[in-house]
């Protein structure tokens, strides 16, 4: 009898530890998802006014950077090869501005965090 009780007790402890671990994993996943969602919302709601004529892409990126908290990482050679840009947008997101500036090129962008 004692062996069965001991076995049952060990299984019960293991099951409780497993449930506690699963709760912890679930909480970490939820917190991570909320963080990712919050950073996505910022990038979609941050509005920029930009009016520039006959400028290169690097000037546009600097203008967006000065009006927002975004940081840009790019290869200078790639940016220099883009034709000069005329852009006039009000209350546009950084994504909308970049999409318009990169139209007709083989360059892409990615918003991270």
């Amino acid at each position: 009898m004692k062996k069965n009780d001991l076995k049952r007790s060990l299984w019960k402890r293991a099951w409780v530890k497993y449930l506690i671990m699963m709760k912890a994993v679930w909480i970490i996943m939820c917190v991570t998802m909320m963080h990712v969602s919050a950073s996505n919302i910022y990038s979609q709601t941050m509005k920029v006014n930009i009016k520039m004529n006959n400028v290169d892409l690097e000037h546009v990126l600097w203008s967006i950077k000065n009006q927002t908290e975004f940081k840009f990482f790019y290869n200078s050679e790639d940016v220099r090869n883009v034709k000069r840009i005329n852009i006039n947008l009000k209350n546009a997101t950084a994504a909308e501005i970049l999409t318009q500036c990169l139209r007709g090129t083989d360059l892409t962008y990615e918003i991270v965090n």
Side-chain angles (χ1 to χ4, degrees):
M1 279 284 231
K2 287 189 177 187
K3 277 189 177 180
N4 282 341
D5 288 342
L6 182 60
K7 231 181 197 182
R8 200 173 296 143
S9 176
L10 290 175
W11 277 104
K12 188 174 180 180
R13 284 186 202 159
W15 182 249
V16 169
K17 284 183 181 180
Y18 175 75
L19 289 176
I20 290 171
M21 185 176 63
M22 290 307 293
K23 280 185 180 180
V25 168
W26 181 253
I27 290 170
I28 291 169
M29 286 176 47
C30 288
V31 169
T32 303
M33 286 180 178
M34 284 189 285
H35 175 69
V36 169
S37 176
S39 64
N40 251 352
I41 290 170
Y42 175 77
S43 68
Q44 293 172 358
T45 59
M46 189 66 192
K47 301 294 183 178
V48 178
N49 294 324
I50 189 165
K51 181 177 182 178
M52 300 179 133
N53 292 319
N54 199 24
V55 294
D56 58 8
L57 181 56
E58 195 164 17
H59 281 91
V60 175
L61 296 177
W62 277 101
S63 179
I64 296 170
K65 181 182 176 213
N66 289 335
Q67 293 183 49
T68 65
E69 296 176 9
F70 289 120
K71 294 180 180 147
F72 294 93
F73 299 96
Y74 55 89
N75 184 341
S76 297
E77 292 261 340
D78 293 337
V79 171
R80 282 190 209 123
N81 292 334
V82 175
K83 65 180 181 171
R84 299 188 78 73
I85 300 167
N86 295 321
I87 188 164
N88 183 10
L89 294 173
K90 292 182 181 177
N91 293 324
T93 63
E96 293 169 340
I97 295 169
L98 291 172
T99 299
Q100 183 171 341
C101 290
L102 298 177
R103 191 177 299 142
T105 69
D106 60 346
L107 299 178
T108 60
Y109 67 90
E110 180 179 357
I111 297 175
V112 179
N113 288 338

